[in-house]
Amino acid sequence: MKQLSIPSHNLNKKNPFSFSSVFVKFAICFLLLGLSYRLFSSNYVQFSSPVDQVAEPASDDDHVVQTLPPLPPLVSELPVFTPTGPQVDFKNETSQTEAKCNLFVGDWVPDPTGPHYTNSTCFSIEAHQNCMKNGRPDSDYIYWRWNPRDCDLPKFNVEKFLHFMRNKSLAFIGDSIMRNHAQSLLCTLSQVEEAVEVYHDEHYRSKRWTFPAHNFTLSVVWSPFLAKTTIFEDDNGVSSDIIQLHLDELDTVWTQQYRNFDYMLTAGGKWFLKSAVYYENNTIVGCHNCQGKNITEVGFYYAYRKVVNSTLKYVASSRHKVYTFLRTTTPDHFENGEWNSGGYCNRTKPFGEGEVDVNSIDQIMRKIELEEFEMASAIGSKNGITLKLFDTTKLSLLRPDGHPGAYRHFQPFAGKDKNAKVQNDCLHWCLPGPIDSWNDLMLKMLMNS
């Protein structure tokens, strides 16, 4: 307010009313200012009324607004909007912010603490992934952890996971990479509570364990195509005939168990690159790499999209609500050949950002996965079903050092020249190894949800 000033020469005039008139003007100004403040403050209270506050968008509380009675409630009935109500949990606010970050963009950083387990403290590691027992001479590959760039990723907490999964079941559905991941989790959990195996199939590909103290069930369901398939291979992978794959029928080995699961992690995989004849409505519609069969070549990507689509639609449309992770394709690291043509992987350190690119096949598969996931998640959200993308492709690409390589066999070079050619495994992961970080990611996503 501008300061009121009275010229000194006016005070010296013999006017008995001069000072009084000034006083009256001052009083009037004061009254007008007081009235303006009263009007302003009353309007301010009106704009902060409980009705307007309830009308503000708050997606987490939409269901509360819809259940309010017709008359607007008093402020005291909505503690969330009053000073005496629940205080903002800044710790929780931070976790919500972190939930929006991309856990799958980051770097591998040194971790001197090492893994939760070793090959001597976990007794369920399959022989061809027990790299240390098989004689791998280096061990640096177990001293790295995945570090997202824009959010915190704590190391896997066994007690927290088992508490979260109390009275629940988790299934890993897919091929041998899925079983690889399940065994990593099994080894980690067994450091706190030993699992009890309660089932295995004839070839020990599908298994089930329980953790009695937590009433938690962990399953591996072998279904490499996720769809109905006839496979003509022996245990050594030697084929006697071409695979027959029914693209419009899901594999009952997992669909018949589906209602038993609370959580599941699933994925397609490299089996789709194998030669196969494709069926729909029990009629041949094409094939992949089937020379001499007089069948139209449609490519593996045709079959892959069909199966990923039908799998995700099955989950997203089901009345049984299973919290589902779709894991993206896992790159291999064969160099100078493939698994059956002398390819090897003898690197001992992770790649840095920009040192390696996803190959064309993995690009195609991941593109299909992302597109089908987006469509299925829209369906799932309408049905109250949670679908999460477990996008491990790029972080796995950076770990050429984490595979068994030649040490898929026990002492592969014993009695041989170090340069002798032996079959390498550059697709699966050593246990312990980089795949253990997938458990960190899985728990973080569950906690964020």
Side-chain angles (χ1 to χ4, degrees), residues 249-270:
E249 296 183 54
L250 293 176
D251 189 355
T252 56
V253 74
W254 71 268
T255 58
Q256 289 181 351
Q257 302 181 60
Y258 184 73
R259 294 188 62 83
N260 298 328
F261 307 143
D262 298 298
Y263 299 86
M264 65 178 266
L265 196 150
T266 190
K270 295 298 192 285

Side-chain angles (χ1 to χ4, degrees), residues 162-236:
L162 286 172
H163 178 75
F164 185 91
M165 287 293 176
R166 185 180 295 276
N167 302 320
K168 298 292 193 300
S169 64
L170 167 64
F172 290 77
I173 302 172
D175 60 14
S176 55
I177 295 293
M178 197 62 68
R179 188 167 66 242
N180 198 177
H181 185 186
Q183 289 172 337
S184 164
L185 179 62
L186 185 67
C187 284
T188 303
L189 298 179
S190 66
Q191 306 310 299
V192 170
E193 181 184 358
E194 194 65 37
V196 178
E197 185 179 316
V198 294
Y199 167 80
H200 63 78
D201 64 5
E202 180 182 357
H203 299 285
Y204 289 81
R205 288 174 171 170
S206 293
K207 292 185 178 182
R208 185 162 59 249
W209 302 266
T210 63
F211 293 80
H214 294 83
N215 192 29
F216 166 53
T217 303
L218 174 63
S219 300
V220 174
V221 182
W222 168 258
S223 183
F225 287 100
L226 302 175
K228 178 182 176 182
T229 316
T230 304
I231 301 173
F232 304 93
E233 287 187 4
D234 61 21
D235 292 339
N236 296 317

Side-chain angles (χ1 to χ4, degrees), residues 258-259 313-322 383 385:
Y258 184 73
R259 294 188 62 83
K313 278 187 177 178
Y314 179 89
V315 171
S317 304
S318 174
R319 291 184 179 181
H320 179 59
K321 296 174 170 53
V322 178
N383 297 327
I385 294 173

Side-chain angles (χ1 to χ4, degrees), residues 348-404:
T348 58
K349 291 182 180 179
F351 283 125
E353 182 69 25
E355 291 183 355
V356 63
D357 292 321
V358 178
N359 65 39
S360 58
I361 290 176
D362 288 324
Q363 285 180 1
I364 292 171
M365 297 181 80
R366 186 169 179 272
K367 182 175 184 291
I368 290 171
E369 292 156 356
L370 297 182
E371 291 172 351
E372 295 301 327
F373 174 82
E374 286 299 320
M375 290 188 286
S377 60
I379 298 172
S381 63
K382 294 179 182 178
N383 297 327
I385 294 173
T386 302
L387 287 169
K388 294 290 184 180
L389 189 70
F390 202 64
D391 193 7
T392 56
T393 300
K394 291 185 178 178
L395 66 91
S396 301
L397 178 68
L398 300 178
R399 293 305 306 272
D401 57 322
H403 302 292

